[in-house]
């Protein structure tokens, strides 16, 4: 193929180099953007989720990273930038996480609390002989009550744990753990309280026994029938006329 093949190879190499250069530039920009983002946020919207000492230390690290980008880090490989970003994220991401958890945790607690209340109302309705739950057994409802007590205790303990820490401390558990506890409670209780009522077979209709056919009684003769020659005398010859002596 001669010169055509050489041209194609050179073109492919140029495309590959352009791609690699773009990836390297993107990695450098990611570091730079993270420096600007975190330096601004730890002094504003994220300030309550970082201690004063940590804020000072992290600010110094961010400033040093910015200086490096425009000096020794002006033209290094992509992997170096990736490693530098990961180094910054070890400090920055936990700060973001604390803020995110602070926002999500109250809603998660509230949802779990409402779920507990929902099932408690069902237990109360069962105790009041509500027809909707009359087919459930005492053992089944005792099981539901036990699950509710366990989750209520878990909720109280976890809320107390959160009340003990500062906003700039990492939480001992995540909001996702609260959602998992709610889902577990629903999985335990729903199959019981939503158990369908047993089907009651309708009574079968019984057909009355067939009575044997009886002959219809003969109709009695009426006076009219008798006058018309019907009845026992029906069909007899009329009496002969008697001879009358006129002398």
């Amino acid at each position: 193929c001669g010169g055509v093949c050489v041209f194609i190879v050179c073109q492919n190499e140029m495309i590959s180099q352009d791609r690699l250069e773009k990836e390297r530039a993107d990695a450098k920009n990611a570091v730079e953007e993270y420096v600007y983002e975190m330096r601004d946020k730890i002094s504003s919207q994220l300030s309550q989720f970082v201690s004063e000492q940590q804020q000072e230390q992290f600010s110094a690290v961010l400033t040093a990273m910015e200086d490096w980008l425009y000096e020794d880090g002006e033209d290094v490989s992509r992997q170096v930038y990736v490693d530098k970003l990961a180094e910054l994220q070890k400090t920055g991401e936990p700060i973001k996480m604390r803020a995110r958890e602070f926002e999500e945790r109250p809603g998660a607690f509230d949802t779990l609390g409402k779920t507990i209340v929902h099932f408690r109302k069902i237990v109360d309705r069962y105790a009041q002989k509500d027809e909707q739950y009359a087919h459930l057994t005492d053992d089944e409802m005792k099981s539901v009550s036990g699950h509710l007590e366990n989750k209520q205790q878990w909720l109280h303990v976890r809320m107390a744990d959160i009340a003990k820490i500062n906003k700039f401390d990492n939480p001992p558990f995540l909001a996702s753990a609260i959602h998992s506890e709610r889902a577990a409670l629903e999985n335990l209780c729903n199959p019981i309280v939503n158990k369908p009522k047993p089907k009651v077979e309708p009574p079968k209709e019984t057909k009355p026994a067939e009575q044997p056919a009886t002959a219809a009684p003969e109709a009695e003769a009426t006076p009219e029938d008798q006058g018309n020659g019907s009845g026992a005398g029906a069909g007899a010859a009329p009496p002969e006329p008697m001879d009358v002596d006129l002398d």
Side-chain angles (χ1 to χ4, degrees):
C1 57
V4 175
C5 291
V6 173
F7 173 77
I8 293 175
V9 170
C10 292
Q11 187 178 40
N12 288 339
E13 288 180 353
M14 290 177 61
I15 293 174
S16 179
Q17 289 296 325
D18 290 343
R19 178 178 58 81
L20 292 175
E21 179 57 28
K22 183 179 183 305
E23 291 177 354
R24 191 190 72 84
D26 289 344
K28 180 182 179 181
N29 289 337
V31 176
E32 187 175 31
E33 290 173 1
Y34 197 80
V35 167
Y36 294 154
E37 175 196 5
M38 294 308 299
R39 186 163 54 193
D40 174 64
K41 288 183 176 181
I42 62 175
S43 60
S44 56
Q45 64 195 77
L46 295 179
S47 60
Q48 56 186 326
F49 304 104
V50 56
S51 66
E52 184 177 349
Q53 180 181 6
Q54 188 180 34
Q55 182 181 8
E56 293 176 358
Q57 293 173 346
F58 195 33
S59 295
V61 171
L62 294 171
T63 299
M65 185 66 71
E66 182 182 20
D67 294 340
W68 175 84
L69 283 171
Y70 298 108
E71 295 173 0
D72 296 340
E74 179 67 29
D75 188 15
V76 297
S77 68
R78 170 186 172 277
Q79 189 58 48
V80 173
Y81 294 125
V82 170
D83 293 341
K84 291 293 184 180
L85 178 60
E87 182 180 335
L88 295 177
Q89 288 175 334
K90 287 181 180 179
T91 302
E93 292 309 294
I95 299 173
K96 289 183 178 181
M97 178 273 294
R98 292 194 287 270
R100 183 172 59 251
E101 288 296 312
F102 180 79
E103 294 295 327
E104 296 179 2
R105 191 165 47 242
F109 275 144
D110 184 61
T111 301
L112 176 55
K114 288 180 178 179
T115 302
I116 294 173
V117 170
H118 166 71
F119 287 117
R120 283 199 184 282
K121 288 182 179 179
I122 294 176
V123 172
D124 291 342
R125 290 173 64 183
Y126 173 81
Q128 296 167 4
K129 310 299 182 182
D130 190 309
E131 179 62 27
Q132 184 176 349
Y133 303 103
H135 63 290
L136 303 179
T137 67
D138 288 344
D139 287 341
E140 288 173 328
M141 296 313 290
K142 286 179 181 178
S143 176
V144 171
S145 295
H147 295 319
L148 295 178
E149 290 299 326
N150 290 337
K151 286 296 178 283
Q152 187 69 63
Q153 181 65 21
W154 186 92
L155 181 59
H156 285 161
V157 171
R158 294 300 177 269
M159 293 181 73
D161 290 342
I162 289 299
K164 297 175 185 176
I165 66 172
N166 295 307
K167 292 181 182 179
F168 51 77
D169 294 327
N170 288 332
F173 58 91
L174 302 180
S176 59
I178 308 174
H179 291 306
S180 296
E181 291 295 324
R182 175 193 53 77
L185 179 61
E186 291 176 339
N187 291 336
L188 289 169
C189 295
N190 275 330
I192 297 176
V193 301
N194 293 331
K195 185 176 73 172
K197 293 183 178 181
K199 292 183 179 179
V200 179
E201 294 291 336
K204 295 182 179 179
E205 295 182 0
T206 56
K207 294 182 179 180
E210 295 184 358
Q211 299 294 330
T214 57
E218 294 183 359
E220 295 182 359
T222 64
E224 290 80 1
D225 292 336
Q226 293 176 355
N228 292 331
S230 59
E240 294 183 359
M242 295 178 64
D243 292 335
V244 179
D245 186 359
L246 299 177
D247 291 337

